[in-house]
Amino acid sequence: MTDEAQKGELIYKGIPVSAGICQGKAFVLHKAQTHVPHYDVAEVDLPHQLQRFQQALVLTRQQIQEVQHKVSKALNAHEASIFDAHLLVLDDPTLIDSVNELIHAKKINVEAAFNEFVQKYTATLSAIDDAYLRERVADMRDVTSRIMNNLLGNLQHQALQELREPCIIIADDLSPSEVAVMDRKVVLGFGTDAGSKTSHMAIMARSLQTPAVVGLKDASLKVKSGAHVLLDGYNGSIVVNPTDQTLFQYGQLVRRQASIEEKLRAIQSLAAITLDGLKITLSANIGQTGDIQAVQEFGGEGVGLFRTEYLFLNRDTLPSEDEQCEAYRKVAAALKPAPVIIRTLDLGGDKFLPHLQIPVEMNPFLGWRAIRFCLEERAVFRAQLRAILRASAEGNVKIMYPMVSNHNELDQANALVELYKNELRAEKIAFDENLEIGVMIEIPSAAVSADMLAKRVKFFSLGTNDLIQYALAVDRLNERIAHLYEPTHPAVLRLIKWTTEAADRHGLWCGVCGEMAGDPYMTPLLLGLGARELSMAPPLLPRVKFLIRRLKMDDALELAKFALNCESGREILERSQALARRTAPSLFENQP
Ligand code: PEP
Ligand code: MG
């Protein structure tokens, strides 16, 4: 019997990030677990275990070299040389040979073999009374714990891929690439200790319509695999061993939801027009060609944000120009004449590619990412821009650059697009000569200098996820400071207004593609502030449309006016929620 079974019902509170209710057996994953898994491995699979060990060693080497590089810059070469000893441990042939022998002799997994070797080796060295050897043991412990973490991280990825039984994942954290490998039929929902509403794993959960709760603090240490769990993605909780009364209450909530969804289906093919006749464009955020069906099913009027980095995840090599072109072309052809806005590669932050060897940085969200990376890694950018240009011959394709912080970056990127257009002309390859280029406004400097950017592009799309994190200096992934991540902060609203006004002055349209766009509580405020296109995960489209079709623009404008003169983000939020609730009460019956 598990601890939970003995204790009865237990509730863990977190942050709701993807709506829906599910229940089933918990499958608990924890990267930082001290427990080292031990299992038998079939003879044919033994080489794979050694391969995993070699991969972990390569990754560990990279990590140590990066730390060494940073230390040598921040301190001096002498301090950095300490890490030479760590690198020597990795080169020690005894290490690889011994682990390999143990794997084969005992036919066990690499973590178990490695653990056995480390325990024996450090015990032997520790027993000798020698200062030098004691230091060697300390080095050894440091390096081996890094290797073990890399092996266990890898293991989590593999475990997710190999799940066969329906379950609810409870983990300390999940990366976007881990969510990407999950099988939707098997993973009913997931809850994580870490995370926030705008982390990319939460964004993916919404697209996949998988109920999810994040910020559960230490739930992954307390819940046991196999426990019966109910996950509430509306209110943000997981209930372990729910009582009959709890199950009854949740049954009612599910029934209410079904009746709301029936109303939403009825407006699926209608336009998003306010009561006073203002047409708003509702577009979809997608990450792969497989999302086309959801865009059509939920009534998206095209794609407002194609996050192309998902095409680059979970593979060992970069997708070629042809491969990318095929993916972009497929989306453009399926949705034409509706626009498809393809965002150029936005790597970095919480989206990494191990094979690109982006250095581990102290502040990855402020680092070498997105357009900064693309402008330096010309071959990567060239392949992508040429692929997008070629796909533009098949439909209504537009290019959008992420993370632009000044107009020089725009000039450089635009010049490259012209260069590649010339290449294609010379090669007699078709593309859309009138293809439009836009820019994401997601860095405060871009919002403040929006008039300078406006001269160089045809549209703006506000990336509020990053705009909020940079304006307020609140890491969008850090659950400890999630309460400070405030979309209705007066400073954020001013940046939005600044952007829409600059767009108006220059005759551009301005949309929103951050998570604020898919939150019906924020719809009146965003429209009042001047947004005319909202782009969101496809399943969120019907709710926002339902609200828009009941909204009076006068109310939205009055709310925006109030917000721009109010000093309290909380008050603005309350007013926005009150207007949204008044406008479409049935939409919020299950919302906190
Ligand atoms: C944003 O920052 O709001 C955005 C849409 O981009 P991403 O979430 O991919 O960083
Ligand atoms: Mg962003």
Side-chain angles (χ1 to χ4, degrees):
M1 198 190 257
T2 64
D3 287 358
E4 283 74 21
Q6 287 159 4
K7 284 183 205 148
E9 181 174 284
L10 277 174
I11 299 175
Y12 297 89
K13 282 269 173 209
I15 306 166
V17 296
S18 182
I21 307 278
C22 59
Q23 52 171 315
K25 271 191 187 168
F27 183 87
V28 182
L29 290 163
H30 205 278
K31 273 186 202 148
Q33 59 192 330
T34 44
H35 166 73
V36 176
H38 188 299
Y39 53 88
D40 297 336
V41 174
E43 185 84 41
V44 287
D45 293 331
L46 293 176
H48 177 59
Q49 295 297 317
L50 184 64
Q51 199 188 349
R52 287 186 50 223
F53 188 50
Q54 283 161 338
Q55 282 169 350
L57 292 180
V58 170
L59 188 59
T60 308
R61 168 175 298 281
Q62 270 177 24
Q63 291 165 342
I64 295 175
Q65 282 171 335
E66 277 151 19
V67 174
Q68 188 173 35
H69 181 64
K70 266 182 220 145
V71 171
S72 73
K73 273 189 161 172
L75 299 167
N76 58 43
H78 174 68
E79 256 81 17
S81 69
I82 295 165
F83 293 98
D84 288 339
H86 290 197
L87 291 170
L88 278 178
V89 174
L90 294 175
D91 285 335
D92 188 346
T94 331
L95 178 69
I96 300 190
D97 291 349
S98 310
V99 172
N100 191 21
E101 272 165 30
L102 277 170
I103 290 174
H104 281 87
K106 301 199 166 179
K107 300 194 180 13
I108 49 172
N109 59 311
V110 53
E111 296 80 7
F114 178 57
N115 191 41
E116 189 175 326
F117 167 76
V118 172
Q119 297 306 333
K120 260 196 209 143
Y121 195 80
T122 49
T124 312
L125 290 187
S126 306
I128 306 168
D129 188 16
D130 180 283
Y132 171 76
L133 285 181
R134 267 197 301 279
E135 271 188 33
R136 279 281 289 150
V137 173
D139 286 339
M140 186 81 184
R141 289 225 168 90
D142 194 330
V143 179
T144 52
S145 72
R146 263 184 200 277
I147 301 173
M148 188 58 93
N149 277 342
N150 287 332
L151 280 172
L152 292 174
N154 194 331
L155 192 76
Q156 171 155 317
H157 205 281
Q158 201 177 328
L160 285 168
Q161 235 166 336
E162 287 169 3
L163 284 173
R164 298 288 173 265
E165 297 269 305
C167 62
I168 294 176
I169 305 283
I170 309 289
D172 55 347
D173 200 2
L174 290 169
S175 68
S177 53
E178 284 165 341
V179 177
V181 296
M182 287 182 190
D183 179 349
R184 268 198 62 201
K185 290 194 282 302
V186 176
V187 177
L188 307 172
F190 60 84
T192 58
D193 298 347
S196 68
K197 261 195 171 126
T198 57
S199 60
H200 282 94
M201 57 109 161
I203 290 172
M204 290 175 81
R206 286 191 284 278
S207 287
L208 296 167
Q209 289 184 273
T210 303
V213 178
V214 303
L216 288 163
K217 299 183 185 78
D218 55 358
S220 77
L221 290 175
K222 296 194 173 145
V223 181
K224 299 276 183 296
S225 275
H228 181 199
V229 166
L230 184 146
L231 184 143
D232 174 1
Y234 294 110
N235 298 292
S237 60
I238 57 169
V239 186
V240 181
N241 291 328
T243 60
D244 287 347
Q245 194 192 351
T246 305
L247 290 174
F248 175 74
Q249 283 164 354
Y250 274 101
Q252 285 184 319
L253 194 146
V254 170
R255 270 191 297 282
R256 276 200 304 276
Q257 193 57 28
S259 102
I260 298 171
E261 259 143 37
E262 210 176 298
K263 286 186 193 154
L264 297 179
R265 267 193 298 278
I267 59 159
Q268 203 106 308
S269 56
L270 303 180
I273 302 180
T274 61
L275 285 180
D276 26 25
L278 180 69
K279 165 80 179 70
I280 304 300
T281 304
L282 291 189
S283 323
N285 291 353
I286 66 165
Q288 51 191 351
T289 54
D291 295 332
I292 297 171
Q293 202 190 337
V295 179
Q296 291 164 330
E297 183 187 332
F298 292 105
E301 301 171 66
V303 169
L305 168 64
F306 188 161
R307 286 188 168 96
T308 54
E309 43 291 350
Y310 294 129
L311 299 176
F312 290 65
L313 294 180
N314 291 328
R315 46 184 297 154
D316 296 329
T317 54
L318 292 172
S320 66
E321 178 184 321
D322 284 350
E323 207 178 324
Q324 287 186 66
C325 179
E326 195 42 43
Y328 306 149
R329 199 189 295 238
K330 203 166 167 190
V331 179
L335 299 178
K336 74 180 174 190
V340 174
I341 300 178
I342 302 181
R343 178 176 78 180
T344 58
L345 204 52
D346 182 11
L347 287 180
D350 60 344
K351 291 169 290 191
F352 294 110
L353 300 185
H355 53 284
L356 267 185
Q357 303 197 354
I358 297 181
V360 176
E361 298 175 314
M362 290 282 271
N363 292 303
F365 274 104
L366 303 180
W368 190 51
R369 55 173 299 199
I371 194 77
R372 301 166 183 179
F373 167 87
C374 286
L375 289 173
E376 279 184 41
E377 292 293 314
R378 284 291 165 82
V380 178
F381 205 23
R382 176 174 179 269
Q384 180 168 47
L385 287 176
R386 281 178 55 106
I388 300 175
L389 284 167
R390 285 167 56 194
S392 72
E394 290 288 331
N396 185 359
V397 168
K398 300 177 199 293
I399 293 178
M400 179 160 76
Y401 307 125
M403 301 296 299
V404 166
S405 61
N406 62 60
H407 64 274
N408 292 325
E409 287 164 338
L410 261 189
D411 287 340
Q412 285 179 64
N414 281 343
L416 288 174
V417 171
E418 287 310 313
L419 180 72
Y420 304 138
K421 278 183 179 174
N422 281 335
E423 282 183 10
L424 294 176
R425 283 186 196 109
E427 293 165 34
K428 305 224 175 323
I429 297 177
F431 63 91
D432 175 7
E433 289 282 353
N434 299 315
L435 169 138
E436 290 185 352
I437 296 181
V439 64
M440 288 193 69
I441 304 291
E442 53 183 343
I443 297 182
S445 64
V448 175
S449 56
D451 55 332
M452 300 183 207
L453 305 184
K455 292 181 217 155
R456 295 160 163 90
V457 291
K458 291 278 190 259
F459 61 90
F460 285 159
S461 187
L462 281 150
T464 48
N465 304 339
D466 280 317
L467 188 63
I468 298 165
Q469 94 163 331
Y470 295 129
L472 307 180
V474 177
D475 180 348
R476 67 190 259 193
L477 302 181
N478 187 341
E479 71 284 359
R480 273 201 80 163
I481 47 171
H483 60 288
L484 296 175
Y485 187 92
E486 198 178 22
T488 51
H489 190 294
V492 172
L493 303 186
R494 279 157 203 233
L495 290 170
I496 294 177
K497 185 67 181 159
W498 221 319
T499 307
T500 59
E501 279 179 353
D504 273 352
R505 278 197 305 276
H506 289 83
L508 314 185
W509 61 264
C510 180
V512 181
C513 63
E515 295 309 294
M516 262 178 107
D519 178 356
Y521 276 140
M522 294 292 108
T523 310
L525 184 59
L526 290 175
L527 299 191
L529 289 170
R532 291 297 173 261
E533 183 241 21
L534 300 174
S535 192
M536 64 205 76
L540 304 179
L541 286 160
R543 292 167 62 83
V544 173
K545 188 197 285 182
F546 187 83
L547 190 135
I548 290 175
R549 290 179 57 83
R550 279 161 182 72
L551 182 67
K552 284 200 217 91
M553 268 316 280
D554 279 351
D555 289 344
L557 290 168
E558 195 186 306
L559 171 67
K561 193 168 160 201
F562 164 80
L564 290 170
N565 287 297
C566 178
E567 292 182 358
S568 157
R570 169 129 293 275
E571 228 178 289
I572 300 170
L573 175 66
E574 282 165 6
R575 280 270 197 139
S576 305
Q577 290 184 332
L579 175 55
R581 280 183 184 276
R582 259 200 328 278
T583 307
S586 56
L587 213 49
F588 302 99
E589 276 174 15
N590 286 341
Q591 301 278 111

